[in-house]
């Protein structure tokens, strides 16, 4: 019996390589198409604010595209007959290998089968030098690499927070302290907002200044300030509404006004209820917004003087100094006069659940994360500093602002840096007043 | 049903190889007599190996009769010639019963065989005969037997009819109907020789010494070769290609090219596919191969299919040539429909 092993071995070897080329090329083709299509959609989606897709999602799409290509290639993979056909064409062997497979398939029962197999055997024993069909593969590889590089560059360097829609979107899965234990979206029939910042941005999507003030007011539990802000914003909105002639814009503004009113009414009512309940029970905390913040922000660290410190006036805020008439809070040794509860608020109660805290002391300036309350605190340089703060801060503040402008500060810390310098400026003003009084 | 050749016979394989070599000699010898018609000679030999009849089309004086005569001499076969005329009767072709009176004055009927009882029959200007006579011949071609007065007479084997027709003088002719023309295995166009070929013809034929031929292959060897042709292996994709070629000639098929749809009334059928593959087998064997390749099929598309593709009125009025349409199919139809695009080239 004729030994068909060399023919089969050659066919198996060539078949493996051809299928490898086929699978890779198919995979790259699909990958390229999916990467390009989803990349374009992603960029459009980000730009228009339709939906925010992360680069990880895009990469997942790309991966799925590649896998689809693999599956398609696998379904079109060559069998032995197709491989023999390909080899016959390449070797110009006048279909000898294909005929040999026919002979082997019928167990060499034909008159000329042995002769054909001998010719095929002679052909397979030589080392055929194929020109593998890799041109398309390299072509696709180049295109795929270009597409991925292009979109990766676009998606990595054009970060999402450059877009307006991202800036106004609620925070999701953020590692900032606000999101600790927070939830977003709907919980049953109740709208749960994960942080004061989210709420503030939701209410004032077009006015960053008001959003910052509202967030602070919420954090400090100053509902009257918050209400004033809303009224102010409402007035602005009405004024805009009166000035706008574009029907589409008018419609939008009306809807915005209705939305804001709807949110704020229920929000304020709920916050008041919780606040009053907490006050009656003698607790040291009140939820600032939706109640979701309660429990998270109610913790004090026990180190800070509560209430009537100099930050209580909150001079940086437009509406922040309406309730307190307390004077400066520094004792001669630089410590706070207040109690043992933490706070930056306007009075004793509100100050307990503020987020950003400051104190002067002898320690070196540090920025740390409080392990108990998961809020940031900072310690200002103490009396022994060689230079007064008023001389140091402007330079640092300018540097910080420059860093903020060029996105040199991680997004999660941007607001923190702003607050830090806001409070530092108050500190310097307080120090100046004290000097003047002296 | 043909009997298969005995397998595992080294002598047989040796004999076949010798016959292949002899066929080459036959071809060379005929080429000595018929100058410049190598293609025609090769196709005629292929048809002979396939037991297929040939329709030779060409103007008079191109050596058609000479070709058949030389072929018969070279193959040591019995040759006869029938000149078709409008008054030729079927009996003149197949034979007739004659009343014979013996020495005792007894009368009896005896079948007198006509010229069709030969191995090689040349039917000159077949389109000049009446349809009745044509159909008698074509029936004999198909059945390889004739029936006279209820008696069946088998024709000699091998049996090959080479009919000729003149494409120019169509007046007073009876063009062969499509159903009958389909029975021809090949339609071979005999073209004018080139300048150099004409020179050779003149040199060889007007002198004292004219080329002569001697028998090389007998009828037994030819029969063996006819059986061997059917043993030639055809790869599956070649069969598939031939099938797609046939479908591409049919204007109502998906594979049909736009010009086929526009100019063709009907295309080749199963008989065309059979003759194409069988002829490809014969060609492969003549070239010393035991398997058919795509080139065999492509080379034989025109002689196998040109008389099986009929042009419609548009095609005829615009002077479209069937050979051009077939060439378009050969050039445009992919040889492998299943191969992925990624590994082509």
């Amino acid at each position: 019996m004729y030994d068909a092993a060399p023919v089969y071995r050659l066919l198996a070897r060539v078949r493996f390589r051809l299928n490898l080329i086929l699978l890779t090329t198919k995979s790259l083709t699909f990958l390229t198409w999916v990467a390009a299509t989803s990349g374009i959609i992603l960029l459009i989606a980000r730009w228009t604010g339709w939906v925010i897709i992360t680069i990880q999602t895009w990469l997942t799409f790309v991966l799925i595209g590649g896998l689809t290509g693999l599956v398609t290639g696998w379904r079109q993979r060559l069998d032995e007959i197709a491989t023999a056909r390909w080899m016959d064409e390449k070797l110009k062997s006048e279909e000898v290998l294909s005929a040999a497979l026919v002979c082997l398939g019928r167990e060499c029962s034909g008159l000329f089968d042995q002769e054909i197999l001998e010719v095929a055997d002679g052909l397979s024993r030589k080392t055929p030098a194929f020109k593998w069909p890799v041109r398309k593969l390299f072509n696709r590889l180049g295109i795929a690499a270009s597409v991925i590089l292009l979109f990766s560059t676009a998606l990595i360097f054009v970060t999402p927070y450059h877009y307006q829609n991202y800036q106004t979107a609620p925070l999701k899965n953020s590692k900032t302290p606000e999101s600790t234990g927070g939830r977003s979206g709907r919980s049953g029939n109740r709208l749960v907002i994960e942080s004061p910042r989210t709420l503030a941005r939701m209410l004032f999507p077009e006015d960053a200044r008001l959003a910052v003030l509202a967030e602070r007011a919420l954090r400090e539990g100053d509902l009257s300030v918050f209400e004033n802000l809303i009224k102010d914003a409402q007035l602005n909105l009405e004024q805009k509404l009166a000035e706008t002639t574009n029907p589409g814009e008018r419609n939008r503004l009306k809807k915005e006004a209705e939305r804001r009113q709807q949110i704020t009414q229920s929000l304020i009512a709920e916050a008041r209820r919780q606040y009053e309940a907490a006050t009656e029970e003698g607790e040291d905390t009140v939820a600032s917004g939706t109640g979701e913040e309660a429990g998270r922000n109610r913790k004090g660290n026990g180190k800070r003087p509560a209430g009537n410190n100099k930050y209580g006036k909150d001079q940086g805020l437009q509406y922040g100094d309406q309730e307190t008439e307390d004077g400066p809070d520094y004792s001669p040794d630089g410590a706070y006069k207040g109690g043992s509860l933490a706070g930056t608020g306007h009075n004793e109660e509100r100050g307990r659940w503020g987020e950003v805290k400051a104190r002067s002391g002898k320690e070196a300036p540090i920025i740390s994360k409080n392990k108990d309350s998961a809020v940031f605190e900072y310690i200002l340089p103490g009396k022994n500093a060689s230079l007064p703060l008023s001389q140091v801060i402007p330079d640092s503040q300018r540097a910080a602002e420059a860093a903020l402008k060029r996105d040199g500060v991680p997004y999660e810390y941007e607001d923190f840096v702003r607050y830090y310098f806001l409070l530092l400026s108050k500190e310097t003003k307080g120090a100046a007043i004290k000097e003047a009084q002296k | 049903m043909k009997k298969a050749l005995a397998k595992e016979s080294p002598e047989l394989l040796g004999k076949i190889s010798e016959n292949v070599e002899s066929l080459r000699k036959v071809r060379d010898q005929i080429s000595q007599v018929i100058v410049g018609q190598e293609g025609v000679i090769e196709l005629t030999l292929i048809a002979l190996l396939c037991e297929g009849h040939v329709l030779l089309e060409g103007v008079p004086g191109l050596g058609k009769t000479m070709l058949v005569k030389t072929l018969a001499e070279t193959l040591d076969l019995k040759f006869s010639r029938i000149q078709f005329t409008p008054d030729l009767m079927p009996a003149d072709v197949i034979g007739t019963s004659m009343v014979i009176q013996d020495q005792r004055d007894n009368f009896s009927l005896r079948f007198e065989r006509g010229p069709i009882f030969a191995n090689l029959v040349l039917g000159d200007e077949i389109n000049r005969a009446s349809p009745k006579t044509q159909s008698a011949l074509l029936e004999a071609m198909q059945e390889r037997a004739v029936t006279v007065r209820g008696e069946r007479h088998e024709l000699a084997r091998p049996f090959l009819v080479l009919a000729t027709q003149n494409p120019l003088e169509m007046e007073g002719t009876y063009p062969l109907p499509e159903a009958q023309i389909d029975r021809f295995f090949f339609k071979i166009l005999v073209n004018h020789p080139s300048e150099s070929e004409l020179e050779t013809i003149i040199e060889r034929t007007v002198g004292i010494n004219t080329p002569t031929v001697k028998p090389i292959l007998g009828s037994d060897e030819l029969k063996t070769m006819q059986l061997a042709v059917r043993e030639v292996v055809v790869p599956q994709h070649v069969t598939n290609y031939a099938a797609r070629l046939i479908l591409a000639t049919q204007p109502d098929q998906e594979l049909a090219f736009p010009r086929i749809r526009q100019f063709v009334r009907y295309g080749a059928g199963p008989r065309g596919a059979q003759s194409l593959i069988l002829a490809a087998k014969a060609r492969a064997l003549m070239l010393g191969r035991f398997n058919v390749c795509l080139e065999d099929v492509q080379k034989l598309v025109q002689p196998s299919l040109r008389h099986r593709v009929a042009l419609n009125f548009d095609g005829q009025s615009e002077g479209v040539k069937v050979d051009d349409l077939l060439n378009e199919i050969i050039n445009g139809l992919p040889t492998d429909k299943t191969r992925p695009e990624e590994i082509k080239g």
Side-chain angles (χ1 to χ4, degrees):
Chain A
M1 190 65 191
Y2 179 76
D3 179 23
V7 177
Y8 277 126
R9 267 202 302 273
L10 176 68
L11 283 175
R13 202 173 63 230
V14 174
R15 185 183 169 196
F16 174 76
R17 290 189 190 177
L18 283 179
N19 280 334
L20 196 66
I21 291 168
L22 173 68
L23 286 176
T24 318
T25 314
K26 276 269 179 219
S27 182
L28 285 171
T29 308
F30 273 71
L31 185 144
T32 308
W33 277 107
V34 172
T37 313
S38 60
I40 290 166
I41 292 171
L42 192 152
L43 284 174
I44 293 170
R46 277 190 171 188
W47 187 259
T48 57
W50 170 43
V51 62
I52 295 167
I53 304 169
T54 59
I55 193 164
Q56 287 87 348
T57 317
W58 178 69
L59 286 173
T60 311
F61 279 128
V62 172
L63 191 67
I64 289 169
L67 288 174
T68 313
L70 275 181
V71 172
T72 314
W74 181 254
R75 291 180 68 179
Q76 291 181 6
R77 70 190 183 279
L78 301 185
D79 56 6
E80 280 175 346
I81 295 171
T83 310
R85 164 89 192 84
W86 184 86
M87 286 174 67
D88 281 330
E89 196 178 299
K90 290 289 158 191
L91 297 171
K92 295 185 171 37
S93 60
E94 296 175 321
E95 271 69 39
V96 167
L97 288 168
S98 301
L101 278 184
V102 174
C103 300
L104 289 169
R106 64 186 186 190
E107 295 176 344
C108 302
S109 58
L111 180 67
F112 301 126
D113 289 5
Q114 292 290 342
E115 277 66 28
I116 290 171
L117 285 171
E118 272 177 32
V119 178
D121 184 38
L123 205 68
S124 57
R125 282 181 197 282
K126 289 181 212 166
T127 312
F130 293 118
K131 194 179 173 188
W132 297 99
V134 287
R135 201 172 63 179
K136 276 198 176 117
L137 172 67
F138 289 147
N139 192 4
R140 303 280 158 84
L141 189 67
I143 294 170
S146 309
V147 165
I148 288 176
L149 272 175
L150 184 75
F151 282 101
S152 298
T153 311
L155 294 168
I156 289 169
F157 292 103
V158 185
T159 47
Y161 45 85
H162 286 154
Y163 304 123
Q164 180 67 26
N165 70 296
Y166 188 89
Q167 291 170 9
T168 56
L171 295 173
K172 284 179 184 170
N173 300 324
S174 171
K175 289 176 182 173
T176 52
E178 288 89 344
S179 68
T180 309
R183 287 178 294 149
S184 61
R186 288 194 171 271
S187 172
N189 292 325
R190 190 176 173 197
L191 179 69
V192 178
I193 296 165
E194 65 185 2
S195 72
R197 179 182 297 176
T198 309
L199 178 62
R201 286 181 174 183
M202 206 166 108
L203 289 170
F204 307 105
E206 291 171 350
D207 194 333
R209 188 184 64 86
L210 284 180
V212 170
L213 293 175
E215 185 188 343
R216 289 209 62 194
L218 283 168
R219 289 190 193 291
E220 292 170 4
D222 200 339
L223 292 176
S224 57
V225 172
F226 183 65
E227 280 177 284
N228 284 337
L229 281 171
I230 287 172
K231 280 176 192 166
D232 192 28
Q234 203 72 18
L235 282 172
N236 286 342
L237 205 64
E238 282 166 12
Q239 194 180 346
K240 270 188 190 173
L241 199 60
E243 287 169 358
T244 308
T245 53
N246 184 355
E249 182 64 15
R250 281 181 71 83
N251 199 24
R252 192 186 69 78
L253 289 171
K254 270 182 191 172
K255 279 185 184 172
E256 178 61 30
E258 282 168 16
R259 185 182 73 92
R260 198 176 291 177
Q261 199 163 7
Q262 198 180 356
I263 295 170
T264 49
Q265 275 174 0
S266 60
L267 183 77
I268 290 166
E270 173 72 4
R272 276 200 190 288
R273 191 186 62 74
Q274 289 188 19
Y275 177 77
E276 281 160 12
T279 313
E280 280 168 15
E281 287 166 16
E283 289 180 3
D284 61 350
T285 182
V286 172
S288 62
T290 61
E292 188 64 22
E293 294 294 305
R296 175 156 68 80
N297 284 335
R298 65 178 58 180
K299 291 178 187 173
N301 62 9
K303 292 178 185 173
R304 299 290 166 268
N308 302 325
N309 57 42
K310 65 179 291 185
Y311 311 114
K313 283 184 181 282
D314 200 4
Q315 293 163 1
L317 291 174
Q318 190 179 351
Y319 307 99
D321 54 356
Q322 292 178 357
E323 292 185 16
T324 179
E325 295 298 325
D326 298 332
D329 306 322
Y330 281 119
S331 64
D333 61 354
Y336 290 102
K337 285 199 294 184
S340 60
L341 294 170
T344 56
H346 298 73
N347 56 33
E348 195 172 344
E349 286 74 23
R350 289 196 302 274
R352 289 173 191 155
W353 27 272
E355 182 200 16
V356 181
K357 291 154 282 188
R359 66 189 168 91
S360 298
K362 292 178 181 177
E363 300 90 344
I366 57 163
I367 298 171
S368 66
K369 201 173 183 180
N370 189 313
K371 64 178 179 180
D372 297 324
S373 59
V375 296
F376 287 98
E377 64 175 329
Y378 62 91
I379 300 169
L380 301 174
K383 275 183 172 178
N384 296 336
S386 57
L387 283 171
L389 274 174
S390 56
Q391 288 184 24
V392 176
I393 286 171
D395 288 342
S396 305
Q397 193 165 2
R398 273 195 293 278
E401 279 167 3
L404 284 168
K405 273 183 187 170
R406 65 166 187 272
D407 295 331
V409 177
Y411 181 69
E412 294 87 351
Y413 293 96
E414 279 182 2
D415 286 349
F416 179 81
V417 172
R418 285 196 194 97
Y419 297 149
Y420 179 77
F421 282 100
L422 185 71
L423 294 176
L424 279 179
S425 64
K426 288 175 196 167
E427 172 78 11
T428 51
K429 279 180 188 171
I433 291 165
K434 207 157 68 176
E435 285 296 320
Q437 283 174 352
K438 277 184 184 176
Chain B
M1 191 74 178
K2 287 183 183 297
K3 274 195 292 183
L5 289 173
K7 202 181 161 259
E8 304 292 336
S9 167
E11 294 84 18
L12 182 64
L13 284 172
K15 215 170 162 183
I16 288 168
S17 299
E18 280 174 23
N19 291 345
V20 168
E21 193 55 41
S22 300
L23 275 172
R24 281 184 198 145
K25 285 179 186 166
V26 168
R27 192 178 56 194
D28 295 342
Q29 199 165 260
I30 297 172
S31 298
Q32 293 293 312
V33 179
I34 310 293
V35 178
Q37 302 290 356
E38 279 77 15
V40 176
I41 296 165
E42 188 184 342
L43 289 174
T44 310
L45 286 174
I46 288 171
L48 189 67
L49 288 179
C50 301
E51 282 195 281
H53 308 292
V54 176
L55 180 62
L56 291 163
E57 191 173 281
V59 293
L62 293 179
K64 297 190 288 287
T65 311
M66 178 67 87
L67 166 71
V68 183
K69 250 172 95 174
T70 315
L71 186 68
E73 284 173 23
T74 320
L75 296 174
D76 197 16
L77 298 174
K78 190 182 172 190
F79 167 72
S80 69
R81 178 183 172 183
I82 308 166
Q83 181 66 49
F84 283 82
T85 53
D87 59 350
L88 191 77
M89 297 305 286
D92 300 329
V93 176
I94 60 176
T96 185
S97 294
M98 298 180 76
V99 180
I100 304 292
Q101 185 181 11
D102 61 13
Q103 290 175 346
R104 295 176 186 174
D105 291 337
N106 292 329
F107 291 91
S108 62
L109 282 171
R110 198 177 72 193
F111 178 65
E112 194 65 29
R113 294 180 167 195
I116 203 166
F117 285 86
N119 295 115
L120 281 180
V121 178
L122 173 65
D124 248 344
E125 297 190 275
I126 190 172
N127 53 342
R128 295 210 172 274
S130 64
K132 192 177 175 182
T133 312
Q134 284 176 358
S135 62
L137 174 72
L138 294 164
E139 193 182 337
M141 283 162 58
Q142 182 70 20
E143 300 293 324
R144 295 177 197 279
V146 291
T147 307
V148 181
R149 289 175 56 243
E151 197 178 342
R152 184 181 169 89
H153 301 273
E154 293 288 333
L155 298 177
R157 302 298 285 268
F159 174 65
L160 178 71
V161 174
L162 292 108
T164 67
Q165 65 177 12
N166 183 352
L168 299 178
E169 294 171 22
M170 299 303 285
E171 201 174 334
T173 61
Y174 302 93
L176 291 169
E178 284 85 3
Q180 293 191 347
I181 210 167
D182 192 38
R183 292 178 190 181
F184 283 100
F185 189 78
F186 277 165
K187 180 180 178 182
I188 302 170
L189 302 182
V190 185
N191 296 318
H192 283 284
S194 64
E195 186 184 331
S196 61
E197 288 164 352
L198 268 175
E199 279 177 25
T200 315
I201 290 169
I202 294 163
E203 282 167 14
R204 282 187 193 173
T205 52
V206 299
I208 299 167
N209 297 322
T210 51
T212 53
V213 292
K214 57 181 180 182
I216 294 174
L217 213 61
S219 59
D220 287 343
E221 287 85 0
L222 205 57
K223 281 179 196 166
T224 309
M225 288 299 284
Q226 284 173 346
L227 289 176
V229 162
R230 292 176 182 267
E231 293 279 353
V232 172
V233 178
V234 187
Q236 201 268 329
H237 72 270
V238 178
T239 314
N240 176 263
Y241 177 62
R244 283 187 294 120
L245 268 172
I246 297 296
L247 291 178
T249 62
Q250 298 168 2
D252 53 346
Q253 291 288 334
E254 274 181 35
L255 283 170
F257 288 27
R259 270 166 60 84
I260 295 283
R261 288 181 202 278
Q262 192 182 353
F263 297 124
V264 172
R265 183 152 55 95
Y266 65 88
R271 208 178 262 162
Q274 287 168 350
S275 64
L276 184 59
I277 287 293
L278 195 58
K281 284 183 168 192
R283 184 178 187 266
L285 194 62
M286 275 181 66
L287 295 173
R289 273 189 279 113
F290 300 114
N291 65 281
V292 173
C293 68
L294 286 167
E295 192 195 349
D296 294 327
V297 174
Q298 287 171 340
K299 290 271 181 192
L300 294 165
V301 165
Q302 288 181 344
S304 299
L305 303 183
R306 63 162 66 102
H307 56 297
R308 294 183 165 100
V309 176
L311 297 175
N312 58 19
F313 179 75
D314 287 349
Q316 287 171 352
S317 61
E318 291 197 20
V320 175
K321 288 182 180 172
V322 175
D323 280 7
D324 294 341
L325 294 177
L326 292 173
N327 264 336
E328 278 178 30
I329 295 174
I330 294 167
N331 294 330
L333 194 71
T335 53
D336 193 344
K337 63 166 185 178
T338 55
R339 185 180 300 173
E341 192 66 30
E342 283 74 11
I343 58 164
K344 279 183 185 167

